[in-house]
């Protein structure tokens, strides 16, 4: 007799807040960043719109992906990050990641995504970063 796997995890959420420095936006992700969890929480258009800039942040614009509370992600989550990176590049916005778990770091390294943007140990380290690469 087959046993069903019980999916026990926190609900996926994205919270968008302003950083300390003008032009800095923090995207605080919580829960598994997977297709199942993303689309159970948000519609595809709502998810896409969350990452769209409200305004042009100017030359010093910085987007921080706070992944502190993301235990793991799948290819859909990774795809959202890469898509956001491409949009940021087109607008001259720097993208950094903060608080990345070892499991997510492994995914970034395996797929070579870790080469695209700097990683910081904490959001506080990343917020107000003046263009220096502080990989952790």
């Amino acid at each position: 007799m087959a046993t069903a796997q019980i999916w026990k995890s926190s609900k996926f959420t994205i919270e968008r807040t302003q950083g300390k420095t003008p032009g800095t936006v923090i995207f605080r992700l919580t829960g598994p960043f997977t297709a199942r969890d993303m689309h159970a929480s948000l519609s595809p258009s709502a998810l896409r719109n969350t990452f769209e800039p409200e305004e042009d942040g100017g030359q010093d614009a910085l987007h921080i992906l706070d992944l502190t509370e993301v235990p793991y992600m799948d290819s859909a989550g990774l795809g959202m990050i890469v898509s956001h990176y491409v949009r940021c590049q087109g607008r001259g916005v720097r993208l950094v990641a903060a608080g990345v778990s070892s499991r997510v770091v492994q995914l970034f390294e395996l797929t070579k995504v870790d080469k695209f943007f700097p990683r910081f140990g904490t959001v506080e380290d990343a917020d107000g970063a003046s263009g220096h690469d502080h990989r952790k």
Side-chain angles (χ1 to χ4, degrees):
M1 181 172 182
T3 306
Q5 179 180 2
I6 306 295
W7 189 274
K8 292 184 179 182
S9 62
S10 58
K11 182 180 175 185
F12 176 78
T13 61
I14 300 177
E15 177 186 330
R16 181 182 178 141
T17 59
Q18 291 301 123
K20 292 180 223 168
T21 309
T24 298
V25 179
I26 301 168
F27 298 92
R28 183 164 286 118
L29 286 68
T30 304
F33 197 12
T34 66
R36 177 178 184 221
D37 292 286
M38 279 188 288
H39 299 301
S41 298
L42 298 164
S43 71
S45 63
L47 189 60
R48 233 182 350 268
N49 290 339
T50 299
F51 287 106
E52 286 299 314
E54 293 171 357
E55 59 187 47
D56 182 8
Q59 185 177 355
D60 296 326
L62 173 67
H63 284 187
I64 301 170
L65 295 177
D66 179 1
L67 302 176
T68 305
E69 297 296 324
V70 175
Y72 53 90
M73 73 175 59
D74 67 2
S75 59
L78 186 65
M80 289 295 290
I81 289 175
V82 170
S83 293
H84 187 60
Y85 170 79
V86 170
R87 283 191 302 273
C88 285
Q89 289 295 294
R91 293 183 171 106
V93 176
R94 287 186 53 236
L95 178 66
V96 301
V100 185
S101 72
S102 61
R103 192 168 179 181
V104 174
V105 167
Q106 287 177 337
L107 177 63
F108 284 2
E109 290 174 348
L110 178 70
T111 58
K112 308 290 188 227
V113 170
D114 64 316
K115 307 289 187 228
F116 295 141
F117 48 84
R119 289 191 318 265
F120 291 80
T122 67
V123 172
E124 292 74 26
D125 291 341
D127 196 357
S130 59
H132 300 292
D133 186 349
H134 296 282
R135 293 182 191 260
K136 300 273 180 177

